[in-house]
Amino acid sequence: MTETVTRTRFAPSPTGMFHVGSARSALFNWALARQSADGRFVLRVEDTDAARNKPEWTEGIISALEWLGIHKEDPHFEGPYFQSDYAGKHRETAERLAEEGRAYYCDCTREMVRQRRDNPHLGYDGFCRDRGLEPGPGRALRFRVPDDGSTVVADQIRGRVEFDNATIEDFVVARADGSPLFALANVVDDVEMGITHVIRGEEHLSNTPKQQLLWRALGQDPPVWAHLPVIVNEKRQKLSKRRDKVALETYQDEGFLPEAMVNYLMLLGWAPGDDREIMPWSQMERLFRVSDVNSSSAFFDEQKLRAFNGEYIRALSVDEFVERCRPWLTPERAPWPEKNFDEEVFAAIAPLAQTRVAVLSEIVGNVDFLFLDEPVEDERSWAKAMKPEVAPAMLTAALERFADPDLAWEATSLKSALEEVGQAQGLKLGKAQAPVRVAVTGRTVGLPLFESLELLGREPVRERLRAALTKLAETDSGAGTDS
RNA sequence: GCCCCCAUCGUCUAGUGGCCUAGGACGCCGCCCUUUCAAGGCGGUAACGCCGGUUCGAAUCCGGUUGGGGGUACCA
């Protein structure tokens, strides 16, 4: 066994969703493993708890990792291994610990433990330590923690962390039914798999002295530990599944690009040391140092993530952008009738939308008016732009002007045409375009208007102007006005 | 309660005793550009929690304090 090769591990338990915090841990482990030629990133699915073990959840883990750029086929990737496959080894180790006197059987119930505690600050009091109980029903196996001294964890991020052994209780390593607990299984697996670096969330820091004691009891030198700061919400609490938006898949669905997500996540707690933020994976991978990771908790700032994402979207070529938008333009996701969608029209409008979307899903709201049978209904926009003093006149004039066959149906001439129409009404283009925009797109804000008109086509545009005029006439006559 | 971790702009961070009248990014606020909205350009707002030390000198070292957070299972 040579110990020179870096072997990191990522050990999620399958829960049906992939936490952004896990994503960051995976990324850090991946970067470190890839820094050395023979480095390995070991994926181990911690499926000890039979209740939460479904094959499709493991699939979910693998595809989430893939989305992040951690591919099974990469030579640095090893696994997946399943903790359940090592159950025999876990039991064997538990028995060995018992035989060697490093662990002992205990028949105390939870109730008994609690009642007997003379000091409520401490946990189990070691009541069964020297009772010499044989294994049997109702008897759990506890690890014998030294009474004196302390256990020092050398953490790459936090430095030296010392735990007084007196504050560590004799913890259970195997249940009464013989099944191993996380504390044991995790260590046995890490030992078995030759893990050299354990990089995981800070919530595991308090388990670490126990695990380190176990490593030593098994005759091994502990690995390099690194406990990442927790990722918190706006209230500075650890991001939780039920309260916060933590599932990687959610972000994926909204149209965050994996490269933006990866970049953002890498920078959560780590910085390359200069003023760079947006950078390719290859660079982050090269620059990453575990010891450079910050030790204080980090707020998951979706606003900044969005900014990163916008940055990455704008950096795409138009063709790439069109490709990437595709999943959001499908019948399942898009609101327009499938037959209305026109590939070429979309490709033509795409560059105008590219600077306006922060996440890919926003593409829909930008281009929908081109493919919907009618403009969207947005009351606020209507109320804002369709003032009775200007809108009817403006729309009527535009309708007429657009009917002129000598008017080239093309953005620049449409612009000057509308400019003229506006001037005749005493309106600058900013004011003049508003009613037309709302009549055609339904909204007061949107893509550049004249390109939009050009792509929609003369007749559809005129049709929408007429419809708007009709609607204006109706509301004007009194019925249902709300102003 | 007990154990452990943490502490620089609102947020993510740079900073490792003098280069700091504290830098960058996101956000926010102006201005420019402009057919709306973005994008882009320019400028601005804003921080070393507090108290003691150490030192010629402290955001940087030490102690305390306060405030956050994590862990306290026969869960992972």
Side-chain angles (χ1 to χ4, degrees):
Chain A
M1 270 284 155
T2 54
E3 293 299 332
T4 49
V5 180
T6 301
R7 291 177 64 82
T8 67
R9 45 79 143 179
F10 177 59
S13 53
T15 60
M17 64 108 212
F18 200 91
H19 195 288
V20 291
S22 301
R24 186 188 57 165
S25 294
L27 254 8
F28 285 178
N29 276 289
W30 182 239
L32 189 65
R34 297 223 346 150
Q35 281 173 2
S36 55
D38 298 322
R40 290 289 179 280
F41 168 97
V42 176
L43 171 62
R44 180 176 71 235
V45 179
E46 308 230 315
D47 58 350
T48 315
D49 206 350
R52 40 167 126 168
N53 182 14
K54 293 188 182 167
E56 62 266 32
W57 287 352
T58 297
E59 266 321 300
I61 289 170
I62 290 176
S63 61
L65 288 175
E66 222 148 67
W67 189 68
L68 294 170
I70 302 176
H71 302 288
K72 264 199 314 214
E73 297 74 27
D74 190 291
H76 295 274
F77 189 103
E78 190 176 310
Y81 297 123
F82 294 89
Q83 188 158 70
S84 54
D85 291 341
Y86 291 75
K89 185 73 191 175
H90 302 152
R91 283 174 193 258
E92 197 179 295
T93 307
E95 282 160 23
R96 193 178 117 205
L97 252 18
E99 279 163 22
E100 292 173 352
R102 316 204 67 130
Y104 58 90
Y105 291 95
C106 166
D107 63 1
C108 297
T109 62
R110 195 187 301 236
E111 259 315 289
M112 289 161 65
V113 171
R114 192 153 50 82
Q115 283 173 3
R116 209 176 40 244
R117 270 196 280 254
D118 50 340
N119 182 347
H121 311 319
L122 267 22
Y124 179 67
D125 64 353
F127 181 70
C128 298
R129 264 194 176 193
D130 302 305
R131 290 174 64 206
L133 258 29
E134 291 296 315
R139 293 178 179 177
L141 185 67
R142 287 182 183 272
F143 184 78
R144 188 188 296 267
V145 176
D147 296 315
D148 312 314
S150 61
T151 298
V152 174
V153 172
D155 190 285
Q156 283 279 289
I157 297 173
R158 282 149 221 287
R160 181 195 148 95
V161 184
E162 183 168 357
F163 296 81
D164 194 339
N165 288 339
T167 64
I168 306 173
E169 65 177 333
D170 286 354
F171 54 98
V172 176
V173 290
R175 298 184 180 89
D177 66 4
S179 62
L181 252 60
F182 164 77
L184 210 220
N186 191 266
V187 171
V188 171
D189 292 343
D190 283 346
V191 169
E192 280 303 293
M193 297 172 190
I195 300 305
T196 59
H197 297 250
V198 171
I199 304 169
R200 64 216 319 187
E202 190 193 339
E203 61 270 24
H204 289 286
L205 186 54
S206 6
N207 292 326
T208 309
K210 297 177 186 173
Q211 298 193 165
Q212 184 160 293
L213 252 12
L214 242 16
W215 275 77
R216 288 254 148 81
L218 298 178
Q220 304 285 330
D221 283 334
V224 173
W225 306 107
H227 290 90
L228 272 19
V230 290
I231 299 179
V232 298
N233 61 20
E234 57 291 326
K235 290 166 73 185
R236 300 246 125 218
Q237 298 160 313
K238 183 170 77 163
L239 244 39
S240 104
K241 173 161 101 179
R242 51 159 316 188
R243 176 180 62 214
D244 306 300
K245 185 169 154 191
V246 297
L248 200 62
E249 290 86 348
T250 309
Y251 292 94
Q252 189 176 353
D253 275 349
E254 283 180 29
F256 284 93
L257 304 182
E259 49 276 51
M261 182 57 99
V262 165
N263 198 155
Y264 177 72
L265 249 18
M266 285 296 288
L267 258 33
L268 216 48
W270 172 75
D274 52 25
D275 286 337
R276 273 176 307 174
E277 288 203 321
I278 302 283
M279 68 190 114
W281 169 258
S282 58
Q283 215 168 104
M284 293 188 283
E285 181 181 286
R286 184 160 46 79
L287 265 21
F288 180 75
R289 295 286 175 278
V290 199
S291 54
D292 287 343
V293 174
N294 231 56
S295 41
S296 46
S297 53
F299 170 58
F300 189 90
D301 187 356
E302 193 176 335
Q303 282 222 69
K304 184 151 182 174
L305 208 210
R306 285 175 66 87
F308 270 43
N309 206 55
E311 199 87 35
Y312 272 91
I313 285 178
R314 274 170 254 127
L316 257 25
S317 72
V318 175
D319 287 348
E320 280 174 315
F321 177 65
V322 169
E323 273 314 304
R324 301 273 209 139
C325 284
R326 216 147 242 144
W328 283 269
L329 308 173
T330 58
E332 299 80 61
R333 276 164 147 160
W336 51 74
E338 188 176 359
K339 62 174 171 52
N340 287 8
F341 184 72
D342 185 321
E343 194 74 40
E344 282 179 32
V345 169
F346 180 71
I349 202 79
L352 298 178
Q354 194 170 355
T355 56
R356 276 163 252 255
V357 297
V359 293
L360 259 17
S361 59
E362 287 171 359
I363 189 64
V364 172
N366 274 274
V367 303
D368 55 0
F369 72 94
L370 286 167
F371 310 120
L372 251 13
D373 288 325
E374 288 170 2
V376 295
E377 282 187 44
D378 182 69
E379 275 183 48
R380 291 176 56 119
S381 289
W382 183 272
K384 193 172 172 194
M386 296 302 190
K387 303 284 189 224
E389 316 83 65
V390 295
M394 194 56 223
L395 292 176
T396 308
L399 182 60
E400 191 179 327
R401 185 70 186 85
F402 289 169
D404 180 359
D406 291 334
L407 173 67
W409 197 258
E410 167 272 323
T412 43
S413 45
L414 286 170
K415 180 182 177 186
S416 29
L418 202 71
E419 227 156 10
E420 285 164 26
V421 171
Q423 257 162 28
Q425 312 282 327
L427 297 173
K428 284 204 241 181
L429 192 50
K431 290 279 182 196
Q433 57 94 40
V436 177
R437 178 183 291 281
V438 172
V440 174
T441 71
R443 300 191 188 90
T444 204
V445 301
L447 267 23
L449 182 60
F450 306 107
E451 285 79 355
S452 298
L453 298 182
E454 179 184 326
L455 283 166
L456 228 202
R458 190 190 300 255
E459 277 323 304
V461 165
R462 297 192 69 235
E463 180 55 44
R464 291 183 183 193
L465 293 180
R466 257 183 247 115
L469 244 10
T470 307
K471 186 174 168 189
L472 266 175
E474 282 164 5
T475 48
D476 192 41
S477 64
T481 43
D482 56 43
S483 58

